[in-house]
Amino acid sequence: MSRAGIVSDPLRFASEGRSLTGKLALKGNKRLADVLSGEQGEVGYTLLGEIGRDDKPYFRLFLNGAMNLQCQRCLGPMVWELDQVSLFQLVRPGAEIPEEELEIDEFDAIEATPDFDVIALVEDEVLLAVPFAPRHESCDAPRPQGGVEKESPFAALAKLRKNSGAQGV
Ligand SMILES: [Zn+2]
């Protein structure tokens, strides 16, 4: 491979059972900056080319990494661990994707375009995988109304009024 993250001939890559491993640094990544909280970390990827039992060419993409998200309950930082495998059936550029294949959940169909951009595929997969409303397994929301330990500001205000009333004029 002369260029990082590029597969020059995807169909050949699959038929020869080749593999490509790399890392996508999150620092400076504009596409992922919108969904992540902070630029620390990286996503490791391994792309395997293979011919399926149906004699069709496939890409199998392994992703793993730890990214920072913002918890939507306590609004604190949280680490989100990504560890997934995706399967893609390669379709010749311009060829029609058979409808029945679109209904199979096990894989997506992608065009086997020359100089295939693996980084863009990794980014697509991360964007799809990021939870919509990430939350810590257990944490407390910052409640303005207060809980058991904390007195509500309204109660405190009421007390203050009562006190000032008691002091009288
Ligand atoms: Zn939280």
Side-chain angles (χ1 to χ4, degrees):
M1 286 302 137
S2 49
R3 281 167 294 167
I6 299 289
V7 172
S8 54
D9 185 343
L11 294 173
R12 197 170 144 203
F13 185 93
S15 66
E16 293 179 353
R18 284 153 82 167
S19 71
L20 175 68
T21 295
K23 278 176 180 164
L24 169 64
L26 300 175
K27 193 166 175 59
N29 188 301
K30 292 198 178 84
R31 286 188 73 198
L32 299 182
D34 286 347
V35 295
L36 300 179
S37 178
E39 300 187 315
Q40 302 92 336
E42 59 191 15
V43 181
Y45 63 85
T46 295
L47 182 73
L48 293 184
E50 60 188 57
I51 299 296
R53 273 176 291 180
D54 54 4
D55 280 338
K56 287 178 177 157
Y58 286 89
F59 272 175
R60 195 178 293 270
L61 181 67
F62 297 80
L63 296 178
N64 67 75
M67 283 153 263
N68 290 298
L69 300 179
Q70 186 185 39
C71 171
Q72 296 304 297
R73 186 160 47 205
C74 71
L75 304 181
M78 66 177 284
V79 175
W80 173 61
E81 305 244 0
L82 172 67
D83 184 10
Q84 74 169 32
V85 184
S86 313
L87 188 63
F88 303 93
Q89 189 180 87
L90 294 173
V91 178
R92 283 181 188 282
E96 225 171 281
I97 297 167
E99 267 179 46
E100 65 268 24
E101 288 179 7
L102 288 175
E103 288 164 17
I104 300 172
D105 290 333
E106 288 160 36
F107 58 81
D108 288 321
I110 49 171
E111 278 201 354
T113 47
D115 290 335
F116 187 91
D117 188 348
V118 181
I119 299 299
L121 182 64
V122 170
E123 289 171 347
D124 287 346
E125 288 302 293
V126 172
L127 287 170
L128 285 172
V130 168
F132 177 67
R135 286 183 172 91
H136 290 115
E137 266 182 42
S138 71
C139 65
D140 292 317
R143 288 181 186 214
Q145 300 278 352
V148 184
E149 307 142 356
K150 227 175 153 188
E151 198 176 30
S152 110
F154 298 103
L157 188 67
K159 212 182 269 175
L160 196 69
R161 279 202 186 120
K162 222 181 268 173
N163 287 346
S164 62
Q167 274 162 15
V169 182

